[in-house]
Amino acid sequence: MPKGQRINFSSKLAVVAAAAGSAVGLGNIWRFPYELGQYGGAAFLIIYLVFVVLIGMPVMLSEFVIGRMGQSDAVGSFKKLAPKGKWWLIGVMGVLTSFLIMGFYAVVAGWTLEYIYQAVANQFVNKDTATLTQVFVDFCTDTWRPLIWLFVFMIISAIIIMLGVKDGIEKSTKFLMPLLFIIIVALGIRAVTLPGGVAGLKFLFQPDFSKITSGVILSAMGQAFFSLSLGMGCMITYGSYISKKNHLSHTVVEVSLMDTLIAVLAAVAIFPAVFSLGINPGYGPELVFITLPNVFAQMPGGYVWSILFFILLCVAALTSAISLMEVVVAYLVEEIKIKRLTATIWVTIIILFLGVLASLSFGVWKEVKIFNMGFFDLFDNVTSKVLMPIGGLMISVFTGWVLSRKQIRDEISTHGRFPTKYYNAYIFLVRYITPIGILFVILNQLGLGRWLGLS
Ligand code: TRP
């Protein structure tokens, strides 16, 4: 490879697969359905879709523009584009955020491995909801078992990261993404045809707007952030691997559509079944791990479906975890000049350390509280409620107000090669709508929303 030329994803499909692999994860399949269940179904879905378009897509395009223009990692790209400013601190914050997200994300990903094991060992049959709840509680409050799965998950992620962008990320996502899609469509078809499943579809697609409060609106926006992997340099890092021949805005539309489609399909696979079996849709974060084994246990062919489902969940978590780790590894390799192998090992060790803290906060360290939260909740809350919204806000301000319009137009159109039909709309969004919208989230999360009379 000639000096100065960056490794690129080899084809358009690979770009979309890798970015969609990052976006589609536990956020879509574990978090989205339970939020939807808690916040009343269809109305939440509609608001979520509005945020994907008005905030998610502009921020994703901004991250791609910064990464591909800067041709560097999340910190290096800002240094190149604004050498005099302190904007690179956004990248540093992203690296930190990445560790913290992985600290709890890897724990939940480890749970998916336990549930693949339980599914294969046929442990869901003949158990009622109470028993399955107990099984889950016993498992996640145990000391060693979740830690072992956390360790296994991190080793798999580390191996893929070590192989590098082309061999690791590309090959794995190109193979894993279509597989994921096929399995979830099959699951959805099965769920919809269950007796009484139509009630679940009604819940999903017949909006009841009386359920919308400002709290619901703000949760939907937070979920859009998390699900699309935005606000901490993940898409900046992947953007730097996108070739100049690629049409950035098309990639944004494709990735956002795919991410949203998978989230909706996951909900279609879950809610008809939940309603068919008379389970409370507002169950919460346990929904996947407690309710679904129950669903599978009572459904024909449940043994095979349960194995497929938890493999699917684990695969989705894996491709997202890889993207989170790549933010840090790319930074260490390019800015601190550490070898990729060494960087991967250190990153894995630090995440394991944070993961142990998060995992034990369900069991033996339940009483250890910082800001009144256990480590798991702390990592989750600090990242999604503070760091990611601030990152997204800064990223949109940077593209909207610091980069010149000509720079952005040249990057999006690859110097006039592609049409820039929606360019003006994008600039308007990223200058005004997106930053103001995000500010709204941050204020609410600081509790100022109530003070200002917003919630
Ligand atoms: N989007 C992923 C999911 O839905 C998680 C994820 C990967 C992420 N990279 C990220 C979240 C960057 C925030 C920022 O599960």
Side-chain angles (χ1 to χ4, degrees):
M1 189 173 63
K3 204 168 175 275
Q5 192 180 331
R6 203 171 167 77
I7 307 169
N8 283 330
F9 288 124
S10 63
S11 69
K12 191 166 173 313
L13 178 68
V15 174
V16 176
S22 165
V24 177
L26 294 169
N28 307 57
I29 297 164
W30 163 69
R31 200 168 190 269
F32 180 75
Y34 88 66
E35 289 230 319
L36 197 86
Q38 286 182 327
Y39 296 124
F44 178 87
L45 175 64
I46 291 168
I47 296 177
Y48 174 79
L49 295 179
V50 171
F51 283 129
V52 167
V53 175
L54 293 186
I55 287 173
M57 289 165 70
V59 172
M60 193 188 290
L61 185 55
S62 303
E63 291 204 23
F64 280 162
V65 164
I66 293 167
R68 198 173 69 170
M69 210 192 276
Q71 284 292 296
S72 187
D73 59 277
V75 175
S77 292
F78 284 107
K79 279 191 178 159
K80 253 188 224 165
L81 297 177
K84 294 207 192 82
K86 289 264 183 273
W87 293 96
W88 55 272
L89 287 171
I90 302 172
V92 173
M93 195 172 81
V95 170
L96 185 81
T97 308
S98 168
F99 275 121
L100 293 177
I101 297 177
M102 274 304 285
F104 74 90
Y105 204 84
V107 172
V108 183
W111 295 350
T112 68
L113 286 170
E114 162 75 17
Y115 273 71
I116 293 174
Y117 166 79
Q118 287 197 20
V120 171
N122 205 6
Q123 295 195 350
F124 305 142
V125 285
N126 300 329
K127 291 198 175 111
D128 57 12
T129 312
T131 316
L132 285 163
T133 306
Q134 199 54 45
V135 168
F136 179 77
V137 171
D138 287 347
F139 164 69
C140 79
T141 55
D142 186 49
T143 299
W144 289 106
R145 220 176 154 88
L147 291 186
I148 291 167
W149 289 122
L150 166 70
F151 187 78
V152 173
F153 181 81
M154 285 311 298
I155 295 297
I156 300 171
S157 307
I159 290 171
I160 297 177
I161 279 284
M162 237 178 260
L163 296 174
V165 176
K166 261 205 140 53
D167 294 330
I169 298 174
E170 233 194 81
K171 281 198 188 122
S172 57
T173 49
K174 247 174 156 173
F175 162 71
L176 297 172
M177 283 302 296
L179 180 72
L180 184 72
F181 190 78
I182 292 167
I183 296 172
I184 205 160
V185 168
L187 260 177
I189 292 170
R190 181 68 200 92
V192 170
T193 51
L194 283 174
V198 180
L201 288 183
K202 269 203 185 132
F203 177 76
L204 273 180
F205 297 114
Q206 240 176 36
D208 171 2
F209 285 103
S210 69
K211 289 191 176 146
I212 293 176
T213 62
S214 57
V216 173
I217 294 174
L218 294 162
S219 301
M221 186 148 76
Q223 173 62 20
F225 249 97
F226 188 86
S227 190
L228 293 168
S229 301
L230 302 174
M232 43 69 73
C234 199
M235 294 303 183
I236 293 176
T237 308
Y238 271 21
S240 73
Y241 301 136
I242 299 179
S243 114
K244 296 278 183 195
K245 286 184 232 144
N246 196 276
H247 197 329
L248 288 185
S249 27
H250 281 180
T251 305
V252 168
V253 173
E254 283 156 6
V255 171
S256 311
L257 272 181
M258 187 127 55
D259 185 70
T260 308
L261 186 67
I262 298 266
V264 172
L265 284 174
V268 168
I270 289 169
F271 285 103
V274 160
F275 275 79
S276 169
L277 297 163
I279 289 163
N280 177 9
Y283 219 110
E286 307 94 328
L287 193 74
V288 168
F289 293 102
I290 292 174
T291 310
L292 280 183
N294 193 315
V295 173
F296 291 127
Q298 299 179 48
M299 116 187 194
Y303 177 69
V304 176
W305 293 116
S306 63
I307 296 172
L308 285 177
F309 181 82
F310 286 109
I311 290 177
L312 154 86
L313 195 55
C314 183
V315 162
L318 186 62
T319 53
S320 299
I322 291 167
S323 76
L324 282 159
M325 288 172 76
E326 180 66 13
V327 173
V328 189
V329 171
Y331 164 72
L332 292 176
V333 170
E334 290 170 30
E335 305 301 309
I336 316 287
K337 313 287 178 214
I338 296 175
K339 279 208 198 84
R340 195 171 174 91
L341 178 70
T342 319
T344 308
I345 292 170
W346 278 109
V347 169
T348 307
I349 289 172
I350 295 170
I351 293 172
L352 276 172
F353 173 74
L354 295 173
V356 169
L357 296 182
S359 185
L360 293 183
S361 72
F362 286 99
V364 287
W365 289 352
K366 214 181 177 118
E367 304 308 323
V368 182
K369 305 265 186 204
I370 295 172
F371 301 124
N372 215 14
M373 287 178 273
F375 287 109
F376 188 100
D377 291 339
L378 181 73
F379 298 162
D380 186 349
N381 282 311
V382 164
T383 53
S384 63
K385 294 187 181 171
V386 184
L387 296 171
M388 270 154 46
I390 292 176
L393 175 66
M394 301 308 277
I395 285 163
S396 63
V397 168
F398 183 78
T399 33
W401 299 94
V402 177
L403 295 179
S404 76
R405 278 169 170 251
K406 181 173 178 335
Q407 271 180 305
I408 297 177
R409 186 188 282 273
D410 283 349
E411 191 59 44
I412 291 177
S413 69
T414 310
H415 298 277
R417 229 170 108 172
F418 300 117
T420 46
K421 246 194 290 178
Y422 304 108
Y423 174 77
N424 286 331
Y426 162 67
I427 292 292
F428 178 74
L429 285 172
V430 91
R431 282 195 161 189
Y432 304 102
I433 306 296
T434 311
I436 291 169
I438 296 168
L439 205 59
F440 190 76
V441 179
I442 296 172
L443 289 181
N444 181 70
Q445 281 160 349
L446 290 174
L448 295 180
R450 216 168 309 127
W451 183 64
L452 293 170
L454 298 175
S455 62

